[in-house]
Amino acid sequence: MPLAHIYNRVLLKEGAWVRLLVPALIIVLVFFFAILAPAFLTLPNWKSLLLNNFSILAITAVSMTFVVASGGIDLSVGTALDFSGLALVLALNHGYSPAAAIVLALLAGLLAGAFNALLTGYLRITPFLATLGTLFIGTSTQQLLSNGGQPIYIDHAAQLNTVGTSLLGIPLPIFLALLLAAVAAVVLGKTSYGRLLTATGLQPAVVRYTGLSARWITGSVFVVAAFLAAVAGILLTTTVSSYVPLSGNAFLMNAIGATFIGTTLNRSGRANVLGTLAGVLFLNIVANGLLLIGWSFFWQQVATGGFILLVLMISFGARRGGAV
């Protein structure tokens, strides 16, 4: 009887099964790919998955989490990522020290965020349209500065080795991803700024009635997102030892997908950092596993999109039905 009560109370009435959907799918996929592709569970494969794929996407997706939590969307996180990579390469190739080049790279990425803050916070353009404009401007600017989209390589003497660097025994990209995610989780969940940001996303009119500046909150979140995306751009550029124009856009859709997948882990359906990290891991496992079993890139994209739709349809369907 107690077990039946727990089942009805926790799994059915409170809809905990929806919040367990993504973790359960991750476990199922790990077993599935381990059977079909013996190399899937090997240490080199998981090291590559976490080091090269998870870290950069995780930081980018956490930046998207801030914007989604505020009730917006940022289509230009890839632009901030690319601007930071471009600035880093140019600074290093012109003889700047690594520290100075990193600072310039962060500032270059923040330009996109500041521009979005101006458009959304002060001109009151909706985030979708504002960041779409920034995306178009950033795309054209990169093509102009790179001779139509040609990669720019870091001079051999100036190369930074972030992949081979460790902190506390953890590879630097993974360490930074986990550190930034932890800080973001604390900011969103434990600080007054995070609570105001979430309140703005849920009830912007209420925030305005309190006398607080909703415009400041709306604008500042894009600066935060651009900073995080700039860090991801630095890691990407130092990983491949070059700046590849428009490479940041490849992370955009997965960052959005991971963020909304992550909302299924929250009882209220809100964007949250832990859920976003689970979404990133889920998408990386899907992509890596399909690659190892021989699926082409295009079919991988189809399958990834299908999984995202499946998770969101189940989640939103359960919420409309009152299961959550």
Side-chain angles (χ1 to χ4, degrees), residues 237-290:
T237 302
T238 54
T239 298
V240 299
S241 298
S242 65
Y243 156 73
V244 181
L246 309 183
S247 57
N249 291 342
F251 295 91
L252 173 61
M253 299 311 297
N254 279 345
I256 294 174
T259 300
F260 280 97
I261 287 175
T263 63
T264 65
L265 274 71
N266 183 272
R267 184 172 183 178
S268 302
R270 300 174 188 171
N272 62 97
V273 174
L274 182 61
T276 294
L277 294 181
V280 171
L281 181 61
F282 174 77
L283 294 179
N284 279 331
I285 286 174
V286 171
N288 180 262
L290 293 177

Side-chain angles (χ1 to χ4, degrees), residues 132-145:
L132 181 63
T134 304
L135 170 63
F136 283 136
I137 294 172
T139 297
S140 299
T141 301
Q142 290 180 68
Q143 291 173 331
L144 289 171
L145 296 176

Side-chain angles (χ1 to χ4, degrees), residues 46-227:
W46 275 86
K47 183 178 179 180
S48 175
L49 187 151
L50 294 174
L51 191 61
N52 299 327
N53 301 323
F54 177 85
S55 302
I56 297 172
L57 179 57
I59 297 173
T60 308
V62 168
S63 76
M64 185 67 69
T65 302
F66 270 91
V67 183
V68 173
S70 71
I73 195 74
D74 189 353
L75 302 179
S76 64
V77 290
T79 300
L81 191 155
D82 287 330
F83 277 7
S84 69
L86 175 61
L88 182 72
V89 171
L90 293 178
L92 289 174
N93 288 351
H94 281 81
Y96 285 83
S97 67
I102 290 173
V103 171
L104 290 174
L106 292 174
L107 291 175
L110 285 171
L111 283 176
F115 188 60
N116 287 331
L118 174 66
L119 295 177
T120 58
Y122 292 94
L123 299 182
R124 302 209 175 177
I125 300 174
T126 60
F128 178 85
L129 295 178
T131 58
L132 181 63
T134 304
L135 170 63
F136 283 136
I137 294 172
T139 297
S140 299
T141 301
Q142 290 180 68
Q143 291 173 331
L144 289 171
L145 296 176
S146 61
N147 296 321
Q150 298 299 315
I152 303 176
Y153 296 94
I154 301 176
D155 290 343
H156 180 71
Q159 287 185 5
L160 293 174
N161 184 18
T162 56
V163 176
T165 303
S166 297
L167 288 175
L168 303 178
I170 304 173
L172 182 60
I174 298 176
F175 181 87
L176 283 177
L178 296 178
L179 175 64
L180 292 173
V183 172
V186 172
V187 170
L188 280 176
K190 302 297 183 180
T191 67
S192 57
Y193 173 75
R195 289 190 287 269
L196 287 173
L197 189 150
T198 303
T200 302
L202 294 175
Q203 295 289 341
V206 173
V207 175
R208 286 195 295 269
Y209 291 147
T210 64
L212 298 171
S213 176
R215 291 195 299 174
W216 179 84
I217 297 171
T218 302
S220 66
V221 73
F222 288 100
V223 177
V224 173
F227 172 80

